[in-house]
C-alpha cells in the first residue's frame, strides 16, 4: 500500500505551478542551495523571488497544515512563555494556545523533526503544528517575551531591588533626580520606540500576571510587549510623576501632560529633559514631543493611555492633507469668507483637529486676531492666542467662548461643540461678523445640521450661520515597499461600482510595514457647501438623507466614493475604505 501511495509534490514545484516563480528561478535557487546549503524557502526569499508569506502558505498547502498570521491570532501569553525564550528564538517557534489536550505551535520550518521533539519535551504535551513566517514568529517572540536589551536590563534591575509597600516611586523618580532608575529607563525606552514607530498612542494596562504595552499605529492597536505584573505600580507612578499627577490617588481618573526631549545614547534611547505641567508647556522644535496622559482605575488596576503629539508629524498645511484639487479650491474659498461657521465632523481620531489647525495656519495671522478655545491645546501656533479649557477653574468651552468674544477676535476656533450653550454662542458669533471654526461628532457632513437641532439650536440660525461642513476619516495607505496589483472579483467590482478590468492594489507585507501591508495614513473628505436649497431643507428640519441627496445632485461626493477613488488610484485598499466608511444609502 505504501509503495502505491502518491508522492508528495515538492514545494518548489508547487510554487512554479502557482505562478509564484518560474523554472529558471527555481533552478537558480536549487543551485544556490547546493552551494551554500540552507532552506529553499529562505533562499527564494533572499533572492527576492517570493515573499515570506508566499512561501509559508505554499509550504502549509504541501504539508496539509494551517498557515497563520500571528498578528491575527489569539495568543495565550502564558502558553507562549512555556517554551524558553532561547529555544523559541533558536528554533523559530511560538506556542499560541491550548487546543484540548494539545498545544498549537507556529513553526517557520515544520519539517524539522528534531525541533518538534524539543518542543514536545519542553511543553510535555502533544503539539499541533501550524506554519507562520520567520519574521512573524520572531516579532511575536519580541512582543510576548519582552526581550529588548533595555527592557531586560530594567526588568532585571527591578527584580534585584526590594521595594517596600507604598514606595513604588523610589524606582520611578523624576528624570532630573534619578535618570538611571530602572523604571525611568524603561518608560523612556517605551516612549522613544513609540515615537520611532510613528505611534499616536501608548496603552499600558495590567492583564493577569502581565503588564501589556500596546501602540496605536496608523489607527490600529498592536501588542508590542509584555512585562511582569510586579512592575505595573512603578510604571504607573513614574508616568504620574512626569505628568504632574497625584501618585497616591488611585481611585479616580486623572489627566496630565508632560513634554519630553529624546536622544539616543549607546545604552539606548532616553529622555534627556522633562517639562511637567501646563505652565511650562512648550513646543519649539522637532526633537520634542508632547505627551498627554490619562489614567483610569479599572478592576485590573490603573490603565494608562499616553497620546503622543509630535511637531515632526503634525500636518500644518493643506499641502499634506491630500485634498483633491477641486475640493481644496472649494474649501479655500469657504474659509476666505469674512464671517460664517465652518464645521469639521467625524468620530474621535479621524483627524478633525489636524484639519482645523491646517485651516487656521493658512489664514493671515498678522492682519487677523485669531483666538482658539481647546481641550486640550495640542499644538502651539505662532500668532494665535490659544485658550486651554480648565473645568476646575471654571473655564469651559461656553465660558471661554464668551470671554473670547470680548477680545475683539476676527477668527475663532472652538475645539468641539459639545452642548447647546456652546453651539448657540458659536452660531451667534458667526452671525455677528466672525469666522468660526469648530468640530462635531457626526457620521457625515449632512448629519451636522440634525445634530445641532437635537442640541436645541433653532434651524433658521443653523441655516444662516453655516457656510460649509467637512466630514472626514483616516484610512491606512498601502506600503510602497510591498505594493502589488491584483485582480479583484468581478462581483465585488460590480457591487462597488468600479469598472471591470481596473487593477486594484494591496500590500503583501514586508519588514518596512511590519507585515501589515500598510504604512502611514491619508484623509478622506466629504464637503457640503451651503446653498439656498440645502438651507431650506435645514429650516424645514429635513432628514440628513434628504440633505445628502441634494448635495449629491450638486456634484458632492460621499466619503465612500472618495475612498474608492483613492483605492482605484492605488493609494489605499478597498478593504480599508469599507472598514472606515458607511455604505451610501440611495435616496429619492
Amino acid at each position: 500500500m505504501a509503495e502505491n501511495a502518491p508522492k508528495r509534490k515538492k514545494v518548489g514545484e508547487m510554487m512554479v505551478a502557482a505562478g509564484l516563480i518560474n523554472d529558471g528561478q527555481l533552478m537558480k535557487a536549487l543551485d544556490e542551495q547546493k552551494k551554500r546549503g540552507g532552506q529553499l524557502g529562505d533562499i527564494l526569499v533572499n533572492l527576492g523571488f517570493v515573499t515570506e508569506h508566499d512561501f509559508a502558505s505554499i509550504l502549509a498547502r504541501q504539508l496539509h497544515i494551517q498557515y497563520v498570521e500571528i498578528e491575527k491570532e489569539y495568543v495565550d501569553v502564558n502558553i507562549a512563555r512555556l517554551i524558553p525564550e532561547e529555544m523559541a528564538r533558536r528554533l523559530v517557534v511560538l506556542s499560541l494556545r491550548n487546543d484540548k489536550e494539545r498545544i498549537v505551535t507556529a513553526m517557520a520550518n515544520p519539517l524539522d523533526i528534531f525541533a518538534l521533539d524539543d518542543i514536545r519535551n519542553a511543553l510535555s504535551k502533544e503539539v499541533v503544528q501550524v506554519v507562520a513566517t520567520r519574521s512573524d514568529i520572531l516579532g511575536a517572540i519580541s512582543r510576548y517575551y519582552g526581550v529588548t536589551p533595555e527592557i531586560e536590563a530594567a526588568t532585571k534591575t527591578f527584580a534585584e531591588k526590594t521595594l517596600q509597600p507604598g514606595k513604588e516611586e523610589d524606582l520611578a523618580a523624576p528624570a532630573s533626580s534619578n535618570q538611571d532608575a530602572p523604571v525611568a529607563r524603561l518608560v523612556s525606552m517605551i516612549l522613544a520606540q513609540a515615537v520611532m514607530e510613528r505611534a499616536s498612542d501608548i496603552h499600558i494596562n495590567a492583564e493577569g500576571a502581565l503588564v501589556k504595552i500596546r501602540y496605536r499605529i496608523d489607527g490600529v492597536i498592536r501588542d508590542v510587549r509584555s512585562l511582569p505584573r510586579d512592575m505595573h505600580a512603578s510604571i504607573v507612578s513614574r508616568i504620574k510623576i512626569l505628568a504632574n499627577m497625584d501618585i497616591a490617588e488611585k481611585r479616580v481618573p486623572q489627566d496630565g501632560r508632560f513634554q519630553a526631549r529624546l536622544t539616543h545614547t549607546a545604552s539606548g534611547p532616553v529622555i534627556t529633559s522633562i517639562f511637567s505641567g501646563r505652565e511650562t508647556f512648550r513646543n519649539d522644535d522637532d526633537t520634542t514631543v508632547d505627551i498627554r496622559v490619562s489614567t483610569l482605575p479599572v478592576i485590573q488596576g490603573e490603565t494608562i493611555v499616553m497620546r503622543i503629539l509630535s511637531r515632526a508629524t503634525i500636518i500644518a498645511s493643506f499641502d499634506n492633507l491630500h485634498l483633491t484639487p477641486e475640493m481644496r479650491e472649494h474649501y479655500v474659498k469657504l474659509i476666505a469668507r469674512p464671517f460664517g461657521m465652518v464645521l469639521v465632523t467625524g468620530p474621535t481620531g479621524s483627524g478633525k483637529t489636524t484639519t482645523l489647525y491646517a485651516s487656521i495656519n493658512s489664514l493671515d495671522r498678522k492682519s487677523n486676531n485669531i483666538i482658539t478655545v481647546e481641550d486640550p491645546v495640542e499644538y502651539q501656533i505662532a500668532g494665535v492666542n490659544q485658550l486651554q479649557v480648565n473645568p476646575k477653574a471654571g473655564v469651559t468651552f461656553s465660558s471661554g467662548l464668551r470671554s473670547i468674544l470680548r477680545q475683539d477676535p476676527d477668527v475663532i476656533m472652538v475645539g468641539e461643540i459639545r452642548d447647546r450653550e456652546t453651539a448657540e454662542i458659536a452660531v451667534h458669533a458667526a452671525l455677528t461678523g466672525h469666522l468660526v471654526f469648530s468640530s462635531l461628532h457626526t457620521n457625515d457632513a449632512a448629519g451636522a445640521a440634525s445634530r445641532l437641532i437635537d442640541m436645541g439650536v433653532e434651524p433658521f440660525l443653523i441655516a444662516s450661520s453655516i457656510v460649509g461642513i467637512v466630514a472626514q476619516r483616516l484610512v491606512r495607505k498601502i506600503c510602497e515597499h510591498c505594493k502589488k496589483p491584483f485582480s479583484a472579483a468581478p462581483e465585488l467590482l460590480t457591487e462597488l461600482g468600479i469598472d471591470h478590468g481596473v487593477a486594484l492594489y494591496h500590500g503583501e507585507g514586508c519588514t518596512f510595514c511590519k507585515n501589515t501591508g500598510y504604512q502611514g495614513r491619508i484623509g478622506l473628505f466629504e464637503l457640503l457647501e451651503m446653498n439656498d436649497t440645502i438651507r431650506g431643507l435645514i429650516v424645514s428640519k429635513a432628514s440628513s438623507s434628504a440633505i445628502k441627496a441634494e448635495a449629491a445632485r450638486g456634484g458632492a461626493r460621499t466619503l465612500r466614493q472618495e475612498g474608492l477613488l483613492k483605492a482605484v488610484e492605488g493609494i489605499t485598499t478597498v478593504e480599508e475604505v469599507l472598514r472606515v466608511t458607511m455604505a451610501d444609502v440611495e435616496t429619492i
Side-chain angles (χ1 to χ4, degrees):
M1 294 290 292
E3 293 180 0
N4 297 327
K7 294 179 66 176
R8 188 168 64 194
K9 200 170 184 179
K10 294 182 178 179
V11 68
E13 296 172 355
M14 293 180 68
M15 300 189 79
V16 173
L20 295 172
I21 59 174
N22 56 42
D23 290 325
Q25 290 172 323
L26 176 59
M27 292 304 298
K28 184 174 181 180
L30 290 172
D31 288 341
E32 191 75 16
Q33 187 180 37
K34 288 178 183 178
K35 292 177 185 176
R36 308 190 179 205
Q39 300 294 324
L40 178 62
D42 293 338
I43 294 169
L44 287 166
V45 172
N46 291 335
L47 290 173
F49 294 157
V50 297
T51 65
E52 282 189 281
H53 166 81
D54 289 334
F55 179 77
S57 59
I58 290 292
L59 181 61
R61 281 171 51 192
Q62 183 207 33
L63 301 176
H64 302 288
I65 59 180
Q66 184 184 3
Y67 167 67
V68 300
E69 296 178 62
I70 295 178
E71 283 196 358
K72 299 179 181 177
E73 291 288 311
Y74 168 72
V75 179
D76 186 329
V77 179
N78 296 320
I79 294 295
R81 294 168 72 94
L82 289 176
I83 298 178
E85 180 190 340
E86 182 277 329
M87 178 187 292
R89 286 187 174 278
R90 174 168 48 84
L91 303 179
V92 194
V93 299
L94 182 75
S95 291
L96 305 180
R97 61 185 179 276
N98 263 322
D99 182 8
K100 297 180 180 178
E101 296 302 317
R102 304 176 299 176
I103 293 182
V104 179
T105 301
M107 301 181 67
N109 180 18
L111 294 172
D112 189 341
I113 58 174
F114 298 107
L116 189 58
D117 286 340
D118 288 344
I119 297 168
R120 287 172 176 152
N121 291 332
L123 298 175
S124 301
K125 280 191 176 182
E126 189 56 39
V127 172
V128 177
Q129 295 169 279
V130 295
V131 181
T133 65
R134 175 181 293 272
S135 58
D136 266 6
I137 293 174
L138 292 176
I141 289 171
S142 294
R143 290 197 301 273
Y144 295 113
Y145 285 85
V147 293
T148 63
E150 293 85 358
I151 285 187
E152 282 186 334
T155 305
K156 182 179 179 181
T157 306
F158 181 92
E160 292 172 350
K161 291 180 178 284
T162 302
L163 290 178
Q164 298 180 7
K167 296 294 184 180
E168 295 91 348
E169 62 271 22
D170 291 348
L171 289 182
S176 58
S177 63
N178 195 1
Q179 180 66 29
D180 294 326
V183 175
R185 293 201 309 272
L186 175 60
V187 171
S188 174
M189 188 280 301
I190 290 171
L191 176 60
Q193 182 182 354
V195 172
M196 288 187 290
E197 295 193 12
R198 303 176 297 103
S200 60
D201 300 87
I202 302 171
H203 292 248
I204 300 175
N205 59 285
E207 189 174 302
L210 300 171
V211 179
K212 300 296 289 290
I213 311 295
R214 300 185 296 167
Y215 295 161
R216 184 181 292 278
I217 302 173
D218 294 335
V220 178
I221 293 180
R222 304 175 191 170
D223 282 344
V224 178
R225 57 177 49 87
S226 301
L227 302 170
R229 174 64 181 261
D230 292 344
M231 300 189 74
H232 180 253
S234 291
I235 292 172
V236 171
S237 293
R238 167 64 177 172
I239 295 170
K240 282 184 175 180
I241 289 171
L242 295 180
N244 209 20
M245 296 179 179
D246 182 357
I247 64 172
E249 181 55 77
K250 303 177 182 180
R251 300 166 299 173
V252 298
Q254 296 188 66
D255 293 299
R257 70 188 310 157
F258 64 94
Q259 189 178 79
R261 185 167 289 119
L262 303 179
T263 189
H264 298 278
T265 67
S267 61
V270 295
I271 297 175
T272 57
S273 54
I274 296 292
F275 305 96
S276 297
R278 292 183 178 128
E279 69 280 2
T280 57
F281 172 58
R282 310 184 319 176
N283 203 284
D284 50 11
D285 60 56
D286 290 347
T287 66
T288 304
V289 293
D290 301 300
I291 314 298
R292 196 171 74 208
V293 183
S294 172
T295 69
L296 188 69
V298 297
I299 58 173
Q300 294 90 350
E302 285 184 285
T303 181
I304 285 185
V305 175
M306 293 187 282
R307 169 66 56 89
I308 301 172
L309 307 169
S310 171
R311 283 186 65 87
T313 58
I314 185 174
I315 301 174
S317 72
F318 291 137
D319 293 336
N320 294 324
L321 283 182
H322 298 285
L323 293 165
T324 62
E326 179 186 5
M327 187 174 294
R328 176 170 176 169
E329 180 183 353
H330 285 274
Y331 186 68
V332 169
K333 287 181 180 178
L334 280 181
I335 65 175
R337 299 191 181 196
F339 60 88
M341 180 184 290
V342 177
L343 291 175
V344 181
T345 71
T348 300
S350 60
K352 299 186 299 296
T353 301
T354 298
T355 300
L356 289 174
Y357 277 152
S359 302
I360 292 293
N361 212 29
S362 69
L363 300 177
D364 182 356
R365 285 166 282 168
K366 291 183 179 179
S367 304
N368 292 296
N369 181 22
I370 304 175
I371 309 179
T372 73
V373 53
E374 307 171 55
D375 183 22
V377 174
E378 296 190 358
Y379 299 98
Q380 288 185 322
I381 305 176
V384 177
N385 297 308
Q386 296 171 268
L387 174 64
Q388 168 76 51
V389 166
N390 186 357
K392 292 182 179 178
V395 181
T396 62
F397 277 118
S398 55
S399 65
L401 189 49
R402 279 201 197 89
S403 299
I404 285 175
L405 291 174
R406 293 192 288 270
Q407 290 285 313
D408 186 31
D410 299 294
V411 180
I412 299 168
M413 188 187 93
V414 184
E416 183 183 344
I417 294 177
R418 298 176 179 173
D419 52 55
R420 175 178 178 175
E421 187 177 11
T422 305
E424 287 182 337
I425 298 171
V427 164
H428 284 291
L431 291 172
T432 54
H434 304 90
L435 180 61
V436 179
F437 294 92
S438 192
S439 69
L440 267 179
H441 286 273
T442 62
N443 291 324
D444 54 25
S450 299
R451 178 80 180 99
L452 290 174
I453 291 172
D454 289 342
M455 285 184 179
V457 182
E458 292 293 338
F460 73 92
L461 293 176
I462 298 170
S464 302
S465 60
I466 294 178
V467 296
I469 306 170
V470 176
Q472 69 180 80
R473 298 290 189 279
L474 293 176
V475 292
R476 292 179 291 174
K477 295 194 297 182
I478 300 173
C479 174
E480 292 295 333
H481 298 280
C482 59
K483 180 178 176 180
K484 294 288 177 65
F486 73 98
S487 298
E491 298 81 7
L492 176 64
L493 296 176
T494 301
E495 180 183 349
L496 297 176
I498 300 174
D499 293 337
H500 287 211
V502 171
L504 298 177
Y505 294 82
H506 69 277
E508 294 189 327
C510 63
T511 55
F512 291 96
C513 62
K514 297 189 180 297
N515 295 308
T516 63
Y518 298 97
Q519 191 172 44
R521 287 193 289 177
I522 191 172
L524 303 181
F525 298 91
E526 173 183 304
L527 178 60
L528 174 64
E529 294 184 83
M530 286 293 161
N531 57 37
D532 290 340
T533 305
I534 293 177
R535 288 192 179 95
L537 291 172
I538 293 174
V539 171
S540 63
K541 296 185 179 181
S543 67
S544 59
S545 298
I547 295 173
K548 180 179 286 189
E550 177 58 32
R553 281 190 283 272
R557 286 196 293 263
T558 64
L559 286 167
R560 175 154 292 189
Q561 289 170 339
E562 281 287 315
L564 293 176
L565 284 175
K566 285 184 167 55
V568 170
E569 292 171 5
I571 298 173
T572 187
T573 64
V574 168
E575 293 81 6
E576 185 70 2
V577 173
L578 299 181
R579 181 180 71 88
V580 303
T581 63
M582 296 190 304
D584 296 327
V585 180
E586 294 187 7
T587 54
I588 299 176

